[in-house]
Amino acid sequence: MATVQVSEAEKLYVLHGVRDDLRVDGRGCEDYRHVEVETDVVSNTDGSAKVSLGHTNVLVGVKAEIGKPKPMVPDEGYLEFFVDCSANATPEFEGRGGEGLGIELSNTLVKVFSNKHCLDLKSLCISPGENCWVLYVDVLLLQCDGNLFDAISMAIKAALFNTKIPKVHICEDEDGGKEIELSDDPYDCVRVNVENIPCIVTLCKIGHRHVVDATLQEKACSVASLLISVTHTGMVTCVRKVGGGSLDPESIFEMTETGKRVGKALHAPLMELLQKEESLGSKRQKVGFLG
Amino acid sequence: MAGIELLSDQGYRLDGRKATELRKVQARMGVFGQADGSAYLEQGNTKVLAVVYGPHEVRGARSKILYDRAVINCQYSMATFSTAERKRRPHGDRKSSEMSLHLKQTFEAAVLTQLYPRSQIDIYVKILQADGGNYSACVNAATLAVIDAGIPMRDYVCACTAGFVDDTPLADLCHAEESGGGTSLAVALLPRGGQIALLQMDARLHQDHLDTLMEAAMTACKGVSKVLDEVVRQHLQEMSILTGE
């Protein structure tokens, strides 16, 4: 991952700040940076969203394609995740440099999002055992300044909220063969229910305390971090320890509690914002990258 | 030409443009704080993000170092969701490698590389949405990013494509016009001196028409350069207000 070099003196400064609940940029330990969300930024996709969290910038595009359901679950559709760590974010990612991080991120996303508790996968089924919708969720990292998971999860939730899957009609011909007909009307579409989609909260252990939404600099000072995905009801769907150091069980418990509290509070403003943007419809002034 | 009619009898194209009309070009410089230079450009529905890092020490193999000028390193990639059909890989395929090479060639002609011996300048472009004229949109965005990074250039590099239908040259082709299989000429121009940094033509064309087609492409490039100049001046004005000078 993109890293910064931090000297011993800087480390101590960050550490003492966190101890006194005052971080380098003036935030408290449980505060997020300024978040900006915009949906429908790429018109070639079925749903897209751009999220910036401080200097971290991600773009998510969702494309719906018709595919074959997995043999184990013939009556469900599925999601595919791909994270593109582009060289735009940092020159380290040039060529194949970003592949490792990309695979790590996408594998975690599969664990967090691709299960039936988050998303009604049955609604993605077209005809059991034969056809289903496959949602390709492609994440593009444009700028990294720590806390990728939280930004990506917010962007995925926003992009899925924005996703419009065209309605299909199944016609049967004389020989019993099935044919799928896509609706021509772009407004004749199905929306994805994003209510239960979790948001990820990453907590970084710095000294004896933990902080949410760590910048790269703070991440460099922390030993290990804990990733928690929380739904709007406060249900924890995934917990993972990331990073090289170790955590004692007691602090994991404390961090889970904080993560639950912070994560639960994250959903309401996000949904409110998305709904507000949606209600403006075509009247909305699209800003994209031009603003 | 078979298929759809690219130019109507009234002289209008598929998207309602006249033959010599460009698509709307909108751009912004300095989109990202972490890079040395960055720019975002929309040319019609084609959207590109360009980022410049450098000049910095040469990374990787020392054999790459040039002792009299800077190495220009380009990477062209397309977001997997940028095209109508989803792409499997963002970069590394044959087409993007070729595109990276073209960009490198273009910017070697424009950047004053001899000012930075033994160093490297990285130019990364990313297509967020593809709708024809990818190469030209990339060059235009990268020019702005290089300017934003404060790297001296001979002139703006402006690129534009031109096609040829029914004895009429069409400026700035969109995807529908490009995919018809007709002639497409891409030119990268240093407009002030009228120097050509890159010239590439796909499909064949009668030699007699080449002059008119080149002329059309170069006029289009000059049109783009006016827009880019406007963007740079606007950006500088905003910056000088912010810094209070």
Side-chain angles (χ1 to χ4, degrees), chain A residues 240-290:
Chain A
R240 242 194 93 181
K241 199 219 95 188
V242 278
S246 53
L247 296 168
D248 59 292
E250 206 159 300
S251 63
I252 288 186
F253 178 74
E254 272 172 34
M255 285 158 98
T256 322
E257 286 304 308
T258 316
K260 257 160 69 176
R261 194 170 58 240
V262 175
K264 206 175 152 183
L266 209 58
H267 287 274
L270 179 63
M271 285 312 285
E272 194 186 329
L273 194 129
L274 292 174
Q275 249 131 21
K276 200 171 139 197
E277 218 176 43
E278 175 81 14
S279 65
L280 287 174
S282 55
K283 276 182 289 183
R284 176 164 71 96
Q285 191 85 41
K286 280 188 191 168
V287 186
F289 292 91
L290 288 169

Side-chain angles (χ1 to χ4, degrees), chain B residues 131-146:
Chain B
D131 185 38
N134 292 353
Y135 168 75
S136 39
C138 284
V139 171
N140 298 334
T143 302
L144 292 179
V146 172

Side-chain angles (χ1 to χ4, degrees), chain B residues 34-167:
Chain B
Q34 285 182 333
D36 293 312
S38 58
Y40 169 76
L41 183 125
E42 284 182 12
Q43 196 158 348
N45 278 328
T46 303
K47 297 175 183 171
V48 189
L49 212 51
V51 171
V52 171
Y53 288 92
H56 54 72
E57 215 173 308
V58 175
R59 255 181 298 108
R62 290 189 64 82
S63 56
K64 273 200 299 186
I65 297 178
L66 297 175
Y67 291 93
D68 55 341
R69 63 200 148 95
V71 178
I72 291 199
N73 173 38
C74 291
Q75 183 177 291
Y76 167 92
S77 63
M78 291 175 90
T80 40
F81 48 75
S82 62
T83 46
E85 197 158 315
R86 185 178 175 272
K87 280 175 75 77
R88 281 186 169 276
R89 315 168 47 172
H91 56 81
D93 55 334
R94 219 172 240 257
K95 207 176 137 205
S96 16
S97 310
E98 189 196 357
M99 205 66 115
S100 306
L101 219 63
H102 285 164
L103 282 172
K104 183 182 158 101
Q105 194 189 336
T106 311
F107 281 92
E108 271 173 350
V111 175
L112 296 172
T113 46
Q114 68 275 19
L115 295 179
Y116 304 105
R118 299 184 190 84
S119 46
Q120 177 178 351
I121 297 168
D122 294 319
I123 301 174
Y124 301 123
V125 287
K126 187 113 206 161
I127 301 263
L128 301 181
Q129 192 174 323
D131 185 38
N134 292 353
Y135 168 75
S136 39
C138 284
V139 171
N140 298 334
T143 302
L144 292 179
V146 172
I147 293 172
D148 187 39
I151 297 169
M153 289 204 287
R154 289 193 177 81
D155 194 356
Y156 293 86
V157 214
C158 304
C160 204
T161 51
F164 202 74
V165 172
D166 302 336
D167 291 336

Side-chain angles (χ1 to χ4, degrees), chain A residues 74-201:
Chain A
D75 58 343
E76 287 181 3
Y78 60 97
L79 278 81
E80 288 260 328
F81 290 89
F82 176 76
V83 182
D84 176 14
C85 301
S86 73
N88 282 36
T90 151
E92 288 163 43
F93 292 157
E94 201 195 329
R96 310 188 64 151
E99 239 166 55
L101 177 66
I103 290 169
E104 188 198 328
L105 286 168
S106 53
N107 284 347
T108 310
L109 292 177
V110 171
K111 285 202 184 86
V112 173
F113 291 104
S114 199
N115 57 62
K116 51 180 178 273
H117 301 293
C118 303
L119 206 66
D120 182 18
L121 294 174
K122 288 210 163 66
S123 70
L124 297 175
C125 177
I126 300 170
S127 64
E130 285 171 26
N131 299 102
C132 69
W133 283 110
V134 184
L135 296 182
Y136 288 98
V137 181
D138 293 315
V139 182
L140 181 60
L141 297 184
L142 297 173
Q143 209 174 205
C144 296
D145 189 16
N147 209 12
L148 290 175
F149 279 110
D150 299 24
I152 291 174
S153 73
M154 276 187 256
I156 289 178
K157 186 160 178 161
L160 285 173
F161 176 84
N162 182 236
T163 300
K164 299 174 183 79
I165 303 171
K167 276 209 178 118
V168 287
H169 307 281
I170 301 172
C171 330
E172 259 182 73
D173 54 15
E174 308 87 74
D175 316 325
K178 282 181 184 164
E179 211 166 277
I180 296 172
E181 234 174 63
L182 279 182
S183 172
D184 292 330
D185 182 8
Y187 291 99
D188 189 22
C189 57
V190 196
R191 304 299 286 264
V192 182
N193 182 9
V194 296
E195 205 191 359
N196 290 325
I197 290 183
C199 276
I200 302 175
V201 180

Side-chain angles (χ1 to χ4, degrees), chain B residues 141-202:
Chain B
T143 302
L144 292 179
V146 172
I147 293 172
D148 187 39
I151 297 169
M153 289 204 287
R154 289 193 177 81
D155 194 356
Y156 293 86
V157 214
C158 304
C160 204
T161 51
F164 202 74
V165 172
D166 302 336
D167 291 336
T168 322
L170 305 181
D172 196 10
L173 303 178
C174 68
H175 180 70
E177 292 165 331
E178 240 175 22
S179 55
T183 319
S184 160
L185 178 84
V187 177
L189 189 75
L190 303 168
R192 226 162 290 173
Q195 301 274 330
I196 289 170
L198 188 115
L199 180 70
Q200 196 199 345
M201 187 164 73
D202 306 325

